Amino acid sequence: MAGYIIALIVVIGGILKQGVYILREYERGVVFRLGRFSSIKGPGLQIIIPGVDRLVRLDQRTITMDVPSQDVITRDNVSIKVNAVLYFRVMDPKKAVIQIEDYLYATSQLAQTTLRSVCGQADLDDLLSKREEINLKIQDIVDHQSDPWGVKVSLVEVKHIDLPQEMQRAMARQAEAERERRAKIIKAEGEFQAAEKLTSAADIMSRNSTTIQLRYLETLRDISVEHNSTILFPLPIEMLDVFMNRKNGKKIGEEEEKKDLTPPKAELV
């Protein structure tokens, strides 16, 4: 008789255990009574009727889902591989249980197809330079499509874009050419500004000959540095004028002598 009582107690304890649940702070319980939705239980100790009620646990924390790498052909016919990461959480436990069989699998598949579709409608340059716009577009589509499931997508980030080796080399050549173009433009702008400054300096120095002489002496000082084998002797320009005048005077005298030695022409009567 005692054995029957012990067995009965064990059976009753097992049944009662099936009706007692302890939900954590981030968990919610969806209760079905005889197959129909009954209520949503919050965190803490929850008791249901065994055999009549059934409780389904749902985690309401933010879920981080890795979207696998997808083969994409962009609008400008470039084959690439793109992967992303998705952040979402369950906002309505009732919809997440009733409206969809497996909201995790469904959200993952929706994110993969949306990633291929959005990246396939964009050019490669847009995927590389307008990453934020691509992320927001994917997030809006996935969030709108998963809203009937009680799922809220908070963030989508494209992590990596795998380019073919040929495309990487072509982009490297393009970047190098762009840098060379900028360098030439900067150099030309510098020469233009230097020419303007030199023109202004020449106008100022032409007003007084002393400034030219001072500039000349300063240039000699810059050249006369240590370990320099070049020897410079300043020579006033006025000394050259003396020699030039003498040379010109000599030429004029020679021409006058030649004129004197030339016999006069006979005149016809």
Side-chain angles (χ1 to χ4, degrees):
M1 188 67 179
Y4 290 106
I5 295 174
I6 295 174
L8 182 61
I9 293 173
V10 172
V11 172
I12 294 174
I15 294 174
L16 292 177
K17 184 179 179 181
Q18 293 180 357
V20 178
Y21 289 87
I22 297 177
L23 301 179
R24 297 179 178 88
E25 183 65 32
Y26 53 83
E27 290 181 333
R28 297 294 183 271
V30 181
V31 179
F32 293 90
R33 179 164 294 172
L34 298 177
R36 297 180 63 87
F37 172 76
S38 175
S39 62
I40 296 177
K41 300 294 185 179
L45 178 63
Q46 303 295 337
I47 299 176
I48 63 174
I49 303 174
V52 177
D53 295 339
R54 186 174 69 90
L55 187 143
V56 180
R57 293 175 181 264
L58 277 179
D59 193 334
Q60 284 197 307
R61 291 178 295 180
T62 300
I63 300 173
T64 303
M65 179 178 291
D66 188 15
V67 181
S69 180
Q70 303 294 314
D71 294 326
V72 179
I73 299 178
T74 60
R75 190 168 60 180
D76 49 353
N77 297 325
V78 179
S79 299
I80 59 175
K81 290 185 177 181
V82 184
N83 61 355
V85 60
L86 182 70
Y87 299 87
F88 66 97
R89 59 178 299 186
V90 177
M91 300 299 295
D92 191 342
K94 177 182 177 182
K95 292 182 179 180
V97 175
I98 297 176
Q99 300 296 331
I100 190 74
E101 179 182 3
D102 187 350
Y103 70 93
L104 290 174
Y105 179 75
T107 305
S108 175
Q109 294 298 314
L110 178 61
Q112 295 179 35
T113 56
T114 305
L115 179 64
R116 287 196 300 269
S117 176
V118 173
C119 293
Q121 296 174 2
D123 295 331
L124 179 60
D125 293 338
D126 294 338
L127 290 177
L128 298 176
S129 60
K130 300 179 180 179
R131 188 76 62 88
E132 291 295 331
E133 296 182 5
I134 299 298
N135 294 338
L136 290 176
K137 190 172 182 180
I138 297 174
Q139 177 185 346
D140 292 339
I141 295 175
V142 178
D143 186 33
H144 179 72
Q145 295 293 333
S146 61
D147 185 67
W149 309 335
V151 175
K152 174 63 179 178
V153 179
S154 59
L155 183 64
V156 176
E157 288 288 341
V158 176
K159 293 196 301 184
H160 181 67
I161 299 176
D162 189 10
L163 298 174
Q165 294 294 330
E166 297 80 6
M167 183 58 62
Q168 294 181 10
R169 289 193 292 268
M171 294 178 66
R173 290 194 299 269
Q174 180 182 1
E176 184 178 359
E178 179 66 19
R179 288 193 296 268
E180 291 180 356
R181 182 184 69 86
R182 294 179 181 178
K184 291 180 180 179
I185 292 175
I186 294 173
K187 183 178 180 181
E189 290 179 352
E191 292 179 353
F192 178 75
Q193 294 176 2
E196 288 183 341
K197 297 298 182 182
L198 289 174
T199 303
S200 301
D203 293 338
I204 296 173
M205 295 173 66
S206 63
R207 302 170 188 172
N208 192 345
S209 60
T210 306
T211 57
I212 300 177
Q213 190 70 19
L214 293 175
R215 181 60 181 165
Y216 174 69
L217 294 175
E218 185 179 358
T219 304
L220 293 180
R221 185 193 65 182
D222 295 337
I223 296 175
S224 301
V225 295
E226 296 182 359
H227 307 290
N228 192 356
S229 60
T230 304
I231 301 175
L232 299 175
F233 293 97
L235 182 63
I237 299 177
E238 290 78 4
M239 295 181 63
L240 297 177
D241 294 338
V242 176
F243 291 105
M244 293 298 296
N245 291 333
R246 289 183 179 180
K247 186 176 180 180
N248 293 334
K250 185 177 180 180
K251 287 183 177 180
I252 293 172
E254 291 178 354
E255 290 179 357
E256 290 179 353
E257 290 179 359
K258 288 180 180 180
K259 288 181 180 179
D260 295 338
L261 295 176
T262 302
K265 293 183 181 179
E267 294 181 358
L268 297 176
V269 180

